Amino acid sequence: MPPPRPYTLVAELSYQCPLHCPYCSNPVDIAGDRYRAELETEHWTRVFREARALGVVQLALTGGEPMLRRDLDELVAAGRAGGLYSTLVTAGTLLTRERAERLKEAGLDHVQVSIQSPDPEENDRIAGIRSFEKKIAAARAARELGFPLTINCVLHRQNLDQIEEILLLTEELGAQRLELANTQYYGWAVLNQQALIPTRAQLERGEEAVQRFRARVGPRITVLWVLPDYYEDLPKPCMGGWGRSTIVVAPNGEALPCQAAATIPGVEFPNVRDHSLNWIWNASDAFTRFRGTDWMQEPCRSCPLGRQEEDWGGCRCQALRLTGDAAATDPVCKFSSHHDTVVGAREAAQTDELTYRTMRRQAGV
Amino acid sequence: MNRPRLVDGARLQYDDVREEHLLLIPEGAVRLNATAAQVLELCDGERSLEEIAAALSQRYAGADVADDVREMLGGMGERGLVVDAAA
């Protein structure tokens, strides 16, 4: 069976970022030698062309902070010329009206601005930098220029109780979409799990608020509610299945089936400097290793619910982190013999102290 | 819906890899059959529903397509993909 065609290219243009969000999904070793050399403009424009030839239609320009790439206008134009629908995923602090106009001219399709909280002081505390006002100005500038706008807020214990205010702010800004992604515990979020993991009551109240909002505003604003890790009994189809819809390219050129996959030991991630995207998608070990269902172990192999092609075994990185084996069933699954690790995480001792993301080199890194 | 247009940021594109029409939207794509793509191409915020149906009817040897067009655009409206230009 030929592999499915990818829909999305996640282009992580740079891991540099003015913010220090403690839930960042970027690798914790972003300051290390592995990520020192970023791709050149020519690498990216070739990757965009190769992605379209494979079937990709959506291009996410992200990071870190993609606005820090000096050639961003050029990359946006290359994406548009190549027939890709482009989204700028930004913290917003550098997206002035003037820069937004230039990106519009270059052919950018869509702007996604993150907020950390609807409360200015809380936003700045979680982001680790004064940024709220600039974010709001960026969102308004994007709308004034006619960009469709998505607001993105990563949810956790320290902001879930402000969900009503997040919804109202989104509406007031004229956004078309709101992504409420409950924190996933990869990268920096792992270091902060005990400060971020919500209570069940918070999640229930949050979901109810989302449902009321959806009923009130209808299709004018799409609210995406990304289910929280650790509060489910069946895994989600992580990335829509390994190597099924998405290609992530890190700033250093490594191609990955998901943003957190770099943590999986024993997998060599091919670099777009050395290989075509076609080979990477269709033939590389990294993209074929957990594709489909042949690699599955028990209990996935004889899943009593027949969900193999529904959840694709869940998340490989989570399986690795909680069981030590990336090929195990995601322990979120109630049939996993490691499901107790997930239940235990819900009840772990809690703290409000945050470890902030930084590019400063740390001892031992 | 009087004068339908695509919602801000939606873009029609023919995908020559998959050989199908797509409506590209923020972080998504809606697969369209050829007729649906033709209808959406006519949704410029100027033409009325009746004018769109009439223009399409001409391409199909005068067939009465008004109900089909209304139903399709109604469905697209419910999904937030098509909006009324006056709204």
Side-chain angles (χ1 to χ4, degrees):
Chain A
M1 204 167 52
R5 292 195 173 279
Y7 261 101
T8 303
L9 174 68
V10 177
E12 296 182 329
L13 298 182
S14 172
Y15 282 149
Q16 302 284 337
C17 184
L19 273 62
H20 303 282
C21 305
Y23 53 74
C24 184
S25 63
N26 286 165
V28 287
D29 60 341
I30 38 179
D33 290 337
R34 183 172 180 176
Y35 298 107
R36 181 115 329 146
E38 292 186 355
L39 292 179
E40 306 290 332
T41 310
E42 296 71 28
H43 293 126
W44 281 118
T45 54
R46 171 173 59 80
V47 166
F48 295 171
R49 282 196 305 274
E50 292 179 348
R52 180 74 276 273
L54 272 175
V56 167
V57 290
Q58 288 286 343
L59 170 64
L61 300 163
T62 181
E65 174 53 69
M67 295 291 297
L68 287 169
R69 274 293 291 216
R70 291 205 181 86
D71 56 356
L72 184 61
D73 296 358
E74 207 178 325
L75 295 181
V76 164
R80 184 58 177 261
L84 299 172
Y85 189 99
S86 57
T87 294
L88 177 72
V89 183
T90 178
T93 57
L94 302 167
L95 187 65
T96 58
R97 165 97 191 196
E98 195 185 14
R99 289 209 65 187
E101 273 171 22
R102 290 221 306 273
L103 290 166
K104 184 92 187 167
E105 278 165 32
L108 182 69
D109 286 295
H110 168 223
V111 173
Q112 177 176 138
V113 176
S114 68
I115 59 166
Q116 280 62 43
S117 165
D119 177 82
E121 276 159 36
E122 268 299 287
N123 179 92
D124 296 353
R125 182 183 69 84
I126 295 166
I129 187 175
R130 210 180 154 90
S131 52
F132 185 79
E133 282 166 38
K134 285 180 179 166
K135 287 167 175 286
I136 298 303
R140 292 197 199 287
R143 281 306 290 141
E144 281 163 23
L145 293 169
F147 280 114
L149 174 69
T150 293
I151 297 294
N152 162 3
C153 186
V154 174
L155 298 177
H156 46 78
R157 187 155 59 83
Q158 302 194 28
N159 66 5
L160 249 164
D161 291 332
Q162 286 129 30
I163 205 156
E164 301 269 8
E165 290 84 353
I166 298 170
L167 291 160
L168 290 174
L169 178 61
T170 302
E171 187 177 19
E172 195 252 314
L173 290 171
Q176 225 176 67
R177 294 173 76 248
L178 171 63
E179 279 190 19
L180 293 172
N182 280 285
T183 303
Q184 299 190 285
Y185 297 103
Y186 311 113
W188 296 83
V190 175
L191 306 178
N192 289 295
Q193 185 172 316
Q194 295 197 2
L196 298 174
I197 198 157
T199 66
R200 188 180 288 279
Q202 279 185 306
L203 289 167
E204 283 168 3
R205 285 196 301 271
E207 199 163 359
E208 282 164 18
V210 168
Q211 281 164 0
R212 282 196 301 275
F213 184 80
R214 283 181 180 144
R216 179 169 68 79
V217 304
R220 188 161 52 90
I221 304 174
T222 303
V223 183
L224 236 76
W225 170 261
V226 179
L227 290 173
D229 281 346
Y230 300 156
Y231 277 97
E232 301 292 318
D233 288 326
L234 295 170
K236 51 189 148 212
C238 191
M239 304 303 289
W242 183 273
R244 300 200 77 76
S245 73
T246 304
I247 304 170
V248 179
V249 177
N252 65 354
E254 283 179 38
L256 310 133
C258 95
Q259 276 127 309
T263 55
I264 300 178
V267 181
E268 195 185 327
F269 293 100
N271 199 297
V272 298
R273 296 174 205 258
D274 311 320
H275 300 281
S276 72
L277 218 51
N278 190 352
W279 180 85
I280 287 170
W281 179 257
N282 287 301
S284 72
D285 169 59
F287 276 75
T288 55
R289 183 175 290 209
F290 303 118
R291 180 181 277 155
T293 56
D294 288 349
W295 58 275
M296 287 180 178
Q297 307 173 357
E298 294 295 356
C300 282
R301 184 166 282 280
S302 55
C303 176
L305 300 177
R307 281 171 51 99
Q308 291 100 333
E309 296 195 4
E310 197 175 319
D311 61 36
W312 303 101
C315 170
R316 298 302 88 229
C317 306
Q318 193 150 273
L320 170 72
R321 200 157 62 72
L322 298 177
T323 76
D325 179 5
T329 292
D330 185 338
V332 166
C333 181
K334 61 185 175 187
F335 301 117
S336 161
S337 56
H338 296 274
H339 188 57
D340 60 323
T341 59
V342 167
V343 176
R346 295 175 198 162
E347 286 139 22
Q350 291 175 350
T351 166
D352 285 330
E353 245 172 81
L354 297 173
T355 302
Y356 288 94
R357 176 202 202 267
T358 175
M359 297 275 294
R360 260 181 243 130
R361 298 188 128 222
Q362 292 161 329
V365 176
Chain B
M1 201 176 307
N2 291 318
R3 298 182 192 282
R5 67 166 174 85
L6 296 180
V7 70
D8 276 356
R11 186 143 71 75
L12 280 166
Q13 184 165 302
Y14 181 71
D15 180 348
D16 52 12
V17 177
R18 292 183 181 76
E19 300 185 331
E20 64 184 0
H21 294 273
L22 297 175
L23 181 63
L24 299 178
I25 54 173
E27 294 170 54
V30 181
R31 302 167 70 175
L32 303 169
N33 62 34
T35 316
Q38 285 179 1
V39 172
L40 291 181
E41 270 169 27
L42 295 165
C43 293
D44 56 3
E46 306 275 328
R47 290 185 180 87
S48 68
L49 245 161
E50 292 69 30
E51 286 167 328
I52 291 167
L56 195 71
S57 174
Q58 269 189 353
R59 296 187 197 172
Y60 290 91
D64 184 2
V65 295
D67 286 348
D68 292 342
V69 167
R70 193 168 295 116
E71 191 183 328
M72 185 210 129
L73 291 178
M76 289 274 185
E78 277 167 28
R79 295 167 68 186
L81 302 170
V82 170
V83 295
D84 190 42

